[in-house]
Amino acid sequence: QVQLVESGGGLVQAGGSLRLSCAAPGRIDSTYPMGWFRQAPGKEREFVGVAGMKRGTEYYGDSVKGRFTISRDNAKNTMFLQMNSLKPEDTAVYYCAADPDGSWRDPEAYEYWGRGTQVTVSS
C-alpha cells in the first residue's frame, strides 16, 4: 500500500516553532492536492490545511490560520508544514494525506495517508 512519510515532530515549548515534512513516493502524482490533519487524544481528526499543486492554493483551518504555513516542493514530491507560535492545544499527532476525492477539508475524502508524527507543545 502506498504510504506517505511524515517527519519533524517533537517536543517544543509554547511560542516555539516546528517544521514538519511529508514525503510522497513517486507513485503519488505531484499534481494531487496534499493536506495536513491532526488528531489529539479523544478527539476527531481535524483539518489543518491543504495545498494544491500551484502556489496560492493553500487553505487553512481556523485554529491555525496566521500561524501555520504549508509549502510544497513538487519536484521532490514533498510538502512542508511550518508551525509558528505553537500553543499547548496544538499538541496532536499530525498526518499528511494526498489525493482527495471530494472536499479538501474532509479526511474521509483522502486516498493516501502517512502514519503520523507526534507534536507536543508544553506550557
Side-chain angles (χ1 to χ4, degrees):
Q1 183 177 359
V2 177
Q3 198 160 51
L4 309 175
V5 180
E6 303 96 337
S7 61
L11 173 65
V12 64
Q13 287 190 329
S17 299
L18 277 176
R19 188 186 193 218
L20 305 185
S21 299
C22 171
R27 289 174 55 190
I28 294 180
D29 195 319
S30 63
T31 65
Y32 292 162
M34 295 179 71
W36 287 99
F37 292 82
R38 66 187 183 185
Q39 190 164 19
K43 294 188 176 182
E44 293 186 351
R45 196 162 291 192
E46 177 189 8
F47 171 75
V48 174
V50 64
M53 186 186 69
K54 296 181 180 180
R55 195 170 290 182
T57 58
E58 300 86 21
Y59 306 96
Y60 300 93
D62 290 340
S63 61
V64 307
K65 204 173 293 184
R67 299 187 297 124
F68 291 10
T69 302
I70 295 175
S71 60
R72 292 180 61 164
D73 183 341
N74 292 325
K76 296 182 179 179
N77 223 6
T78 303
M79 175 176 65
F80 305 97
L81 179 66
Q82 178 66 43
M83 304 186 294
N84 299 328
S85 302
L86 282 161
K87 305 174 182 179
E89 50 263 45
D90 294 319
T91 296
V93 177
Y94 282 71
Y95 299 90
C96 66
D99 191 17
D101 180 14
S103 170
W104 289 8
R105 295 174 178 266
D106 181 3
E108 297 295 326
Y110 286 76
E111 176 72 19
Y112 304 105
W113 286 89
R115 294 190 176 188
T117 184
Q118 176 70 45
V119 171
T120 303
V121 184
S122 63
S123 57

